[in-house]
Amino acid sequence: MPDDIDGYDRSRLAALYDPLDPDRSDLDVYVDLVGELGARRLIDLGCGTGTFALMLAGRGIRVTAVDPDEDAVDVARHKEGADAVEWIVGDAADLPAMSANLVTMTANVAQHFLTDAEWDAALASIREALLPGGYLVFESRRPEARAWDGWTPERTRVEADVEDIGHVESWQEVLDVTGHTVTFRTSNAFDDGTVIEVDTTLCFRTEQELRVSLAAAGFETLEVREAPDRPGREFVFIARAADESDY
């Protein structure tokens, strides 16, 4: 969340995440992947309000959940079952070393690393956080699908009645497309007439660019799958931390 939003508004925005996006069936594929890979110790990088982390903890997985948005993590900490998760307010650089056999980045998390340097640094931190032979699973939108063409107020408008806040409407619109990056604005309109705007920039990397960056960071790409909820529009990368015997 941008630093120029004051504390009260940051708290109100964090409270909107779940009500405005209540259907998280997109996470089912990742729950299945955790089982497929046999992971018992997991880091959820970019955990947001903790939906995925709590799904896994409820299945007996040891989860460390990390996000730079303190208000979102605070929402997560107050949910049922939150005591079973280790919550960290931070980013990729704050991952505990040698602590997991799987790191996940769901939703748009991997696309928030805008420069190659930022992305490479994140991959290096993830590599250090993994136990030998550990896995990295993340999703990233296919640039050729041009998802941003649908990010208009008419197509993205959602609304919800939020406890202790009231009725809220939210919509998105694209502000700029330059090279691999897309900047869009999310407007959140409250009953009291307040509209809080949040600008977000995402980087759309090609499959080849992602494969090359993973290899350079010491990962072997095992498979690139389709996201079941966005066929043809999104990659799901499954990579393994290579060890010295792989070279």
Side-chain angles (χ1 to χ4, degrees):
M1 196 177 297
D3 292 334
D4 58 353
I5 296 176
D6 67 34
Y8 174 64
D9 285 344
R10 292 171 69 91
S11 178
R12 285 208 291 177
L13 288 176
L16 304 184
Y17 292 159
D18 294 336
L20 290 177
D21 188 17
D23 180 8
R24 297 312 311 272
S25 58
D26 60 302
L27 295 173
D28 291 343
V29 63
Y30 293 100
V31 173
D32 292 341
L33 264 173
V34 172
E36 180 181 333
L37 297 174
R40 303 304 301 170
R41 300 172 63 180
L42 180 140
I43 294 174
D44 181 20
L45 179 56
C47 66
T49 55
T51 300
F52 183 52
L54 291 168
M55 289 171 68
L56 295 174
R59 289 164 170 79
I61 306 297
R62 178 179 169 183
V63 182
T64 299
V66 183
D67 199 286
D69 187 341
E70 183 175 2
D71 294 280
V73 174
D74 186 59
V75 170
R77 284 187 170 125
H78 286 84
K79 291 183 176 180
E80 183 177 356
D83 289 347
V85 177
E86 177 186 7
W87 304 100
I88 297 176
V89 177
D91 56 24
D94 299 302
L95 303 186
M98 299 285 287
S99 61
N101 42 43
L102 174 60
V103 174
T104 58
M105 290 186 286
T106 62
N108 295 323
V109 173
Q111 294 183 249
H112 280 276
F113 301 100
L114 301 183
T115 68
D116 289 344
E118 290 173 350
W119 176 238
D120 291 345
L123 290 178
S125 294
I126 291 168
R127 181 71 176 79
E128 293 177 1
L130 286 169
L131 294 161
Y135 298 92
L136 166 63
V137 171
F138 67 92
E139 64 183 66
S140 187
R141 295 173 186 263
R142 294 177 179 269
E144 63 270 21
R146 295 179 60 88
W148 58 87
D149 286 340
W151 296 348
T152 66
E154 296 76 20
R155 292 187 179 185
T156 61
R157 190 178 298 271
V158 293
E159 56 186 292
D161 292 315
V162 182
E163 185 177 359
D164 297 327
I165 290 179
H167 190 75
V168 180
E169 292 188 19
S170 180
W171 62 92
Q172 297 171 340
E173 57 186 320
V174 174
L175 302 180
D176 180 70
V177 180
T178 301
H180 285 353
T181 63
V182 177
T183 300
F184 62 95
R185 174 168 293 160
T186 301
S187 298
N188 303 279
F190 296 81
D191 271 345
D192 62 5
T194 302
V195 178
I196 304 175
E197 297 177 335
V198 180
D199 293 350
T200 304
T201 301
L202 300 177
C203 182
F204 287 73
R205 294 179 173 88
T206 67
E207 178 179 347
Q208 182 60 21
E209 288 170 332
L210 290 168
R211 285 180 177 272
V212 169
S213 63
L214 285 166
F219 288 94
E220 175 191 4
T221 298
L222 300 179
E223 191 175 353
V224 181
R225 300 182 182 179
E226 295 281 356
D229 61 321
R230 296 190 181 103
R233 294 184 290 164
E234 192 165 281
F235 312 113
V236 176
F237 268 77
I238 304 170
R240 183 176 64 88
D243 55 43
E244 293 182 359
S245 64
D246 293 318
Y247 293 97

